[in-house]
Amino acid sequence: MRRRTVITAVGLATPLSLLGGLETALAVTPDPSGSPVPLDARLATARALFDAGRHTQLVEDLPGLLGDAQHAAEARQDVDYARLSATYTLAATVLNKLGAYRHSRLVADRATTYANISGSPLAAAAAARELAAVLRHQGQEAAVQRHIETAVARVEATGLNNAAQASAYAQMLASSAYTAAIADDRDQALAMIREAARAARDLPGQAPPGRLFPITPATIDLYAVGVHWSLGDAGAALEAGKGLHPAQFATAERKGRMHTDLARAWHLRGRPEQAAAELLKAARVSRSEVRDRPPIRQIVTDLQSSHPRTAGVRELTALVGPAR
Protein backbone atom coordinates (compact mmCIF):
# COMPACT_ATOMS: atom_id res chain seq x y z
CA MET A 1 0.00 0.00 0.00
CA ARG A 2 1.52 3.32 -1.08
CA ARG A 3 1.88 6.19 1.38
CA ARG A 4 -0.79 8.37 -0.25
CA THR A 5 -3.25 5.49 0.03
CA VAL A 6 -2.37 5.02 3.68
CA ILE A 7 -2.99 8.71 4.40
CA THR A 8 -6.39 8.54 2.77
CA ALA A 9 -7.32 5.33 4.53
CA VAL A 10 -6.20 6.46 7.95
CA GLY A 11 -8.09 9.73 7.89
CA LEU A 12 -5.55 10.95 10.46
CA ALA A 13 -8.00 11.15 13.33
CA THR A 14 -6.28 13.29 15.96
CA PRO A 15 -6.25 12.06 19.57
CA LEU A 16 -8.07 15.26 20.58
CA SER A 17 -7.83 14.46 24.28
CA LEU A 18 -4.14 15.34 24.02
CA LEU A 19 -4.73 18.89 22.82
CA GLY A 20 -5.96 20.18 26.17
CA GLY A 21 -5.67 23.94 26.50
CA LEU A 22 -3.37 24.32 23.51
CA GLU A 23 -6.25 24.87 21.12
CA THR A 24 -7.48 27.77 23.25
CA ALA A 25 -3.95 29.16 23.52
CA LEU A 26 -3.72 29.30 19.74
CA ALA A 27 -6.89 31.37 19.56
CA VAL A 28 -6.03 33.75 22.42
CA THR A 29 -2.40 34.13 23.45
CA PRO A 30 -2.09 33.28 27.16
CA ASP A 31 -0.88 35.84 29.66
CA PRO A 32 2.72 35.47 30.85
CA SER A 33 3.05 32.65 33.35
CA GLY A 34 5.38 34.49 35.68
CA SER A 35 7.74 31.51 35.81
CA PRO A 36 11.18 32.40 37.23
CA VAL A 37 12.85 29.79 35.01
CA PRO A 38 14.61 31.34 31.99
CA LEU A 39 12.75 30.85 28.73
CA ASP A 40 15.65 29.08 27.02
CA ALA A 41 15.80 26.52 29.83
CA ARG A 42 12.07 25.91 29.62
CA LEU A 43 12.24 25.53 25.86
CA ALA A 44 15.04 22.97 26.28
CA THR A 45 12.89 21.09 28.79
CA ALA A 46 9.96 21.13 26.37
CA ARG A 47 12.14 19.72 23.61
CA ALA A 48 13.28 16.99 25.97
CA LEU A 49 9.65 16.07 26.61
CA PHE A 50 9.15 15.63 22.86
CA ASP A 51 12.31 13.55 22.59
CA ALA A 52 11.05 11.32 25.39
CA GLY A 53 7.63 10.87 23.75
CA ARG A 54 5.86 12.63 26.63
CA HIS A 55 3.31 14.30 24.37
CA THR A 56 0.61 14.89 26.96
CA GLN A 57 2.88 16.82 29.31
CA LEU A 58 4.40 18.78 26.42
CA VAL A 59 0.99 19.85 25.14
CA GLU A 60 0.01 20.86 28.68
CA ASP A 61 3.16 22.99 29.05
CA LEU A 62 3.05 24.69 25.66
CA PRO A 63 0.39 27.34 26.40
CA GLY A 64 2.45 28.88 29.20
CA LEU A 65 5.61 28.65 27.11
CA LEU A 66 3.92 30.33 24.14
CA GLY A 67 2.54 33.09 26.36
CA ASP A 68 5.97 33.83 27.84
CA ALA A 69 7.73 33.70 24.46
CA GLN A 70 5.14 36.05 22.97
CA HIS A 71 5.57 38.44 25.89
CA ALA A 72 9.38 38.37 25.53
CA ALA A 73 9.07 39.16 21.83
CA GLU A 74 7.41 42.46 22.68
CA ALA A 75 10.96 43.75 23.16
CA ARG A 76 11.25 43.44 19.35
CA GLN A 77 14.73 41.92 19.44
CA ASP A 78 15.78 39.46 16.75
CA VAL A 79 16.78 36.83 19.29
CA ASP A 80 13.36 37.03 20.95
CA TYR A 81 11.59 36.61 17.63
CA ALA A 82 13.82 33.61 16.87
CA ARG A 83 12.97 32.11 20.26
CA LEU A 84 9.26 32.69 19.66
CA SER A 85 9.57 31.02 16.26
CA ALA A 86 11.34 28.06 17.88
CA THR A 87 8.50 27.72 20.39
CA TYR A 88 5.87 27.69 17.66
CA THR A 89 8.02 25.27 15.67
CA LEU A 90 8.09 22.86 18.58
CA ALA A 91 4.32 23.15 18.91
CA ALA A 92 3.98 22.37 15.20
CA THR A 93 6.30 19.39 15.58
CA VAL A 94 4.20 17.70 18.25
CA LEU A 95 0.93 18.58 16.50
CA ASN A 96 2.25 17.02 13.30
CA LYS A 97 3.23 13.94 15.27
CA LEU A 98 -0.32 13.70 16.63
CA GLY A 99 -1.88 14.21 13.20
CA ALA A 100 -3.49 17.50 14.24
CA TYR A 101 -2.81 19.11 10.87
CA ARG A 102 -5.47 21.82 11.06
CA HIS A 103 -3.86 23.17 14.21
CA SER A 104 -0.29 22.61 13.08
CA ARG A 105 -0.84 24.58 9.87
CA LEU A 106 -1.70 27.67 11.92
CA VAL A 107 1.22 27.14 14.27
CA ALA A 108 3.73 26.47 11.48
CA ASP A 109 2.62 29.64 9.68
CA ARG A 110 3.29 31.64 12.84
CA ALA A 111 6.67 29.98 13.28
CA THR A 112 7.56 30.93 9.71
CA THR A 113 6.44 34.54 10.17
CA TYR A 114 8.47 35.09 13.32
CA ALA A 115 11.50 33.29 11.88
CA ASN A 116 11.46 35.65 8.90
CA ILE A 117 11.20 38.66 11.20
CA SER A 118 14.16 37.38 13.23
CA GLY A 119 16.35 37.09 10.15
CA SER A 120 17.70 33.71 11.29
CA PRO A 121 18.07 31.25 8.38
CA LEU A 122 18.21 28.32 10.79
CA ALA A 123 15.00 29.33 12.56
CA ALA A 124 13.40 29.78 9.13
CA ALA A 125 14.58 26.32 8.05
CA ALA A 126 13.14 24.72 11.20
CA ALA A 127 9.79 26.42 10.63
CA ALA A 128 9.82 25.51 6.93
CA ARG A 129 10.36 21.87 7.80
CA GLU A 130 7.24 21.76 9.97
CA LEU A 131 5.15 23.73 7.48
CA ALA A 132 6.31 21.30 4.79
CA ALA A 133 5.08 18.38 6.90
CA VAL A 134 1.62 19.94 7.12
CA LEU A 135 1.44 20.74 3.42
CA ARG A 136 2.55 17.22 2.49
CA HIS A 137 -0.40 15.79 4.38
CA GLN A 138 -2.68 18.26 2.62
CA GLY A 139 -1.43 17.04 -0.75
CA GLN A 140 0.34 20.31 -1.62
CA GLU A 141 3.68 18.86 -2.70
CA ALA A 142 4.47 21.69 -5.13
CA ALA A 143 4.08 24.27 -2.35
CA VAL A 144 6.17 22.10 -0.05
CA GLN A 145 8.99 21.96 -2.55
CA ARG A 146 9.01 25.74 -2.94
CA HIS A 147 9.24 26.23 0.82
CA ILE A 148 12.01 23.67 1.14
CA GLU A 149 14.00 25.05 -1.79
CA THR A 150 13.81 28.55 -0.32
CA ALA A 151 15.00 27.25 3.04
CA VAL A 152 17.85 25.29 1.43
CA ALA A 153 19.00 28.41 -0.44
CA ARG A 154 18.92 30.56 2.71
CA VAL A 155 20.92 28.03 4.69
CA GLU A 156 23.40 27.50 1.87
CA ALA A 157 23.89 31.26 1.67
CA THR A 158 25.34 31.19 5.19
CA GLY A 159 28.42 29.57 3.70
CA LEU A 160 27.95 26.42 5.79
CA ASN A 161 30.85 27.54 7.96
CA ASN A 162 29.98 25.53 11.03
CA ALA A 163 28.40 22.22 12.00
CA ALA A 164 25.06 23.79 12.94
CA GLN A 165 24.68 25.26 9.46
CA ALA A 166 25.85 22.03 7.81
CA SER A 167 23.30 20.08 9.85
CA ALA A 168 20.52 22.42 8.79
CA TYR A 169 21.56 22.06 5.15
CA ALA A 170 21.57 18.25 5.33
CA GLN A 171 18.18 18.31 7.06
CA MET A 172 16.56 20.43 4.38
CA LEU A 173 18.00 18.26 1.60
CA ALA A 174 16.58 15.18 3.34
CA SER A 175 13.20 16.89 3.71
CA SER A 176 13.31 17.78 0.02
CA ALA A 177 14.02 14.15 -0.85
CA TYR A 178 11.10 12.95 1.25
CA THR A 179 8.75 15.47 -0.35
CA ALA A 180 9.83 14.46 -3.84
CA ALA A 181 9.26 10.81 -2.96
CA ILE A 182 5.72 11.50 -1.80
CA ALA A 183 5.12 13.36 -5.08
CA ASP A 184 6.38 10.24 -6.93
CA ASP A 185 9.35 12.16 -8.37
CA ARG A 186 11.74 9.25 -8.08
CA ASP A 187 14.75 10.83 -9.77
CA GLN A 188 14.58 13.99 -7.65
CA ALA A 189 14.00 12.03 -4.45
CA LEU A 190 16.99 9.77 -4.98
CA ALA A 191 19.23 12.64 -6.08
CA MET A 192 18.33 14.69 -3.01
CA ILE A 193 18.83 11.87 -0.52
CA ARG A 194 22.25 11.16 -2.02
CA GLU A 195 23.11 14.86 -1.72
CA ALA A 196 21.88 14.86 1.89
CA ALA A 197 24.16 11.90 2.64
CA ARG A 198 27.13 13.77 1.19
CA ALA A 199 26.26 16.88 3.22
CA ALA A 200 26.07 14.83 6.43
CA ARG A 201 29.08 12.57 5.95
CA ASP A 202 31.42 14.69 8.07
CA LEU A 203 28.94 15.27 10.88
CA PRO A 204 29.51 13.37 14.15
CA GLY A 205 27.74 10.11 14.89
CA GLN A 206 25.96 11.76 17.82
CA ALA A 207 24.81 15.37 17.58
CA PRO A 208 25.81 17.62 20.49
CA PRO A 209 23.09 18.55 22.99
CA GLY A 210 20.96 21.51 21.98
CA ARG A 211 21.65 21.23 18.24
CA LEU A 212 18.61 22.62 16.39
CA PHE A 213 18.97 19.99 13.65
CA PRO A 214 20.51 16.91 15.31
CA ILE A 215 21.35 15.32 11.98
CA THR A 216 23.85 12.47 11.78
CA PRO A 217 24.78 10.09 8.97
CA ALA A 218 22.46 7.50 10.54
CA THR A 219 19.62 10.00 10.51
CA ILE A 220 20.05 10.40 6.76
CA ASP A 221 19.98 6.61 6.36
CA LEU A 222 16.69 6.63 8.25
CA TYR A 223 15.37 9.31 5.89
CA ALA A 224 16.41 7.05 3.01
CA VAL A 225 14.17 4.32 4.45
CA GLY A 226 11.25 6.76 4.33
CA VAL A 227 12.13 7.94 0.83
CA HIS A 228 12.17 4.41 -0.59
CA TRP A 229 9.05 3.41 1.33
CA SER A 230 7.23 6.47 0.01
CA LEU A 231 8.28 5.49 -3.51
CA GLY A 232 6.69 2.08 -2.95
CA ASP A 233 9.99 0.17 -2.93
CA ALA A 234 9.95 -1.88 0.26
CA GLY A 235 13.06 -3.83 -0.71
CA ALA A 236 15.14 -0.68 -1.18
CA ALA A 237 13.76 0.74 2.08
CA LEU A 238 14.83 -2.33 4.02
CA GLU A 239 18.22 -2.32 2.30
CA ALA A 240 18.71 1.35 3.26
CA GLY A 241 17.88 0.52 6.87
CA LYS A 242 19.80 -2.73 7.27
CA GLY A 243 22.70 -1.05 9.09
CA LEU A 244 20.56 0.97 11.47
CA HIS A 245 20.40 0.15 15.18
CA PRO A 246 19.01 1.97 18.22
CA ALA A 247 22.40 2.96 19.65
CA GLN A 248 22.87 5.32 16.70
CA PHE A 249 20.00 7.51 17.94
CA ALA A 250 20.14 9.57 21.11
CA THR A 251 16.45 9.93 21.95
CA ALA A 252 13.50 7.64 22.51
CA GLU A 253 11.62 9.49 19.78
CA ARG A 254 14.29 8.75 17.15
CA LYS A 255 14.77 5.16 18.29
CA GLY A 256 11.03 4.62 18.07
CA ARG A 257 10.91 6.32 14.67
CA MET A 258 13.58 3.96 13.38
CA HIS A 259 11.46 0.96 14.34
CA THR A 260 8.20 2.41 12.97
CA ASP A 261 9.80 3.32 9.64
CA LEU A 262 11.15 -0.22 9.30
CA ALA A 263 7.72 -1.54 10.28
CA ARG A 264 6.18 0.49 7.46
CA ALA A 265 8.58 -1.08 5.00
CA TRP A 266 7.80 -4.59 6.24
CA HIS A 267 4.08 -3.83 6.13
CA LEU A 268 4.42 -2.62 2.54
CA ARG A 269 6.31 -5.83 1.74
CA GLY A 270 3.47 -7.91 3.11
CA ARG A 271 5.43 -9.35 6.02
CA PRO A 272 3.13 -8.97 9.06
CA GLU A 273 5.34 -10.82 11.55
CA GLN A 274 8.33 -8.56 10.87
CA ALA A 275 6.11 -5.46 10.90
CA ALA A 276 4.63 -6.45 14.27
CA ALA A 277 8.09 -7.17 15.67
CA GLU A 278 9.35 -3.70 14.74
CA LEU A 279 6.25 -2.02 16.15
CA LEU A 280 6.68 -3.92 19.40
CA LYS A 281 10.24 -2.66 19.62
CA ALA A 282 9.02 0.87 18.93
CA ALA A 283 6.31 0.64 21.61
CA ARG A 284 8.78 -0.67 24.17
CA VAL A 285 11.11 2.24 23.52
CA SER A 286 8.42 4.92 23.23
CA ARG A 287 4.83 3.75 23.38
CA SER A 288 3.63 7.15 22.16
CA GLU A 289 5.41 6.62 18.81
CA VAL A 290 2.86 3.91 18.08
CA ARG A 291 -0.09 4.96 20.22
CA ASP A 292 -0.26 8.66 19.33
CA ARG A 293 0.56 8.59 15.61
CA PRO A 294 -2.57 7.89 13.54
CA PRO A 295 -0.83 6.27 10.53
CA ILE A 296 1.12 3.92 12.79
CA ARG A 297 -1.98 3.02 14.78
CA GLN A 298 -3.58 2.17 11.45
CA ILE A 299 -0.89 -0.45 10.80
CA VAL A 300 -1.66 -1.97 14.21
CA THR A 301 -5.35 -2.01 13.27
CA ASP A 302 -4.55 -3.63 9.92
CA LEU A 303 -2.45 -6.31 11.58
CA GLN A 304 -5.11 -6.99 14.20
CA SER A 305 -7.80 -7.25 11.51
CA SER A 306 -5.94 -9.26 8.88
CA HIS A 307 -3.33 -11.18 10.89
CA PRO A 308 -4.67 -11.58 14.45
CA ARG A 309 -2.80 -14.86 15.02
CA THR A 310 0.55 -13.64 13.74
CA ALA A 311 3.29 -13.65 16.35
CA GLY A 312 3.42 -10.38 18.23
CA VAL A 313 0.12 -8.92 17.04
CA ARG A 314 -1.87 -9.69 20.18
CA GLU A 315 0.90 -8.38 22.44
CA LEU A 316 1.25 -5.29 20.28
CA THR A 317 -2.46 -4.53 20.43
CA ALA A 318 -2.47 -4.89 24.22
CA LEU A 319 0.67 -2.77 24.62
CA VAL A 320 -0.60 0.09 22.48
CA GLY A 321 -4.07 0.11 24.03
CA PRO A 322 -7.16 1.97 22.81
CA ALA A 323 -6.96 5.29 20.99
CA ARG A 324 -7.13 8.32 23.31
Side-chain angles (χ1 to χ4, degrees):
M1 184 181 289
R2 293 298 307 279
R3 186 177 194 277
R4 180 61 58 202
T5 307
V6 170
I7 289 174
T8 302
V10 171
L12 295 180
T14 305
L16 293 175
S17 60
L18 291 180
L19 295 185
L22 182 56
E23 186 171 18
T24 301
L26 297 179
V28 180
T29 302
D31 293 329
S33 69
S35 172
V37 180
L39 196 55
D40 281 339
R42 292 172 59 205
L43 184 54
T45 297
R47 286 178 178 142
L49 291 175
F50 177 81
D51 289 339
R54 295 170 64 182
H55 300 151
T56 300
Q57 185 175 345
L58 174 56
V59 170
E60 289 174 352
D61 290 352
L62 275 170
L65 191 59
L66 287 168
D68 289 344
Q70 191 78 53
H71 178 70
E74 292 176 3
R76 300 183 182 277
Q77 299 297 311
D78 289 347
V79 66
D80 294 317
Y81 283 124
R83 189 181 291 114
L84 178 57
S85 174
T87 306
Y88 274 114
T89 295
L90 179 59
T93 302
V94 70
L95 289 170
N96 282 332
K97 178 79 75 173
L98 299 176
Y101 299 115
R102 180 173 64 85
H103 299 82
S104 62
R105 173 63 186 269
L106 171 64
V107 174
D109 280 337
R110 290 181 185 176
T112 300
T113 296
Y114 289 119
N116 290 336
I117 294 173
S118 78
S120 167
L122 298 192
R129 179 191 178 197
E130 297 310 321
L131 181 56
V134 182
L135 294 174
R136 278 197 297 263
H137 283 276
Q138 294 177 341
Q140 301 183 53
E141 286 84 3
V144 173
Q145 205 61 31
R146 288 195 299 272
H147 281 288
I148 295 294
E149 288 171 359
T150 298
V152 168
R154 291 181 66 177
V155 173
E156 192 172 16
T158 65
L160 307 181
N161 296 316
N162 56 53
Q165 294 168 354
S167 296
Y169 184 62
Q171 172 65 75
M172 301 318 291
L173 290 172
S175 296
S176 180
Y178 194 51
T179 299
I182 292 171
D184 288 325
D185 188 343
R186 183 180 183 84
D187 291 343
Q188 177 74 357
L190 297 182
M192 286 295 98
I193 199 64
R194 287 193 295 267
E195 184 62 28
R198 282 192 289 270
R201 64 189 173 191
D202 293 328
L203 295 175
Q206 293 288 349
R211 176 65 53 81
L212 182 59
F213 296 100
I215 291 293
T216 65
T219 307
I220 299 300
D221 289 341
L222 183 55
Y223 263 97
V225 174
V227 165
H228 289 295
W229 177 81
S230 296
L231 290 169
D233 192 339
L238 294 168
E239 178 67 20
K242 69 179 183 181
L244 295 176
H245 54 85
Q248 293 171 309
F249 302 97
T251 68
E253 187 271 340
R254 284 292 96 181
K255 294 175 193 289
R257 184 61 180 255
M258 182 199 77
H259 289 304
T260 58
D261 278 6
L262 291 172
R264 284 173 148 178
W266 284 119
H267 186 54
L268 177 64
R269 191 105 184 231
R271 304 290 289 274
E273 185 171 348
Q274 288 84 348
E278 290 293 346
L279 290 179
L280 272 173
K281 293 175 184 177
R284 289 166 182 157
V285 170
S286 177
R287 189 177 302 187
S288 57
E289 273 300 300
V290 182
R291 181 193 60 202
D292 294 347
R293 294 174 61 197
I296 304 303
R297 286 198 68 96
Q298 183 62 43
I299 296 178
V300 177
T301 300
D302 291 346
L303 292 172
Q304 183 182 21
S305 175
S306 301
H307 308 279
R309 298 181 181 177
T310 296
V313 171
R314 182 176 296 178
E315 182 185 354
L316 175 65
T317 302
L319 190 60
V320 172
R324 298 191 295 171

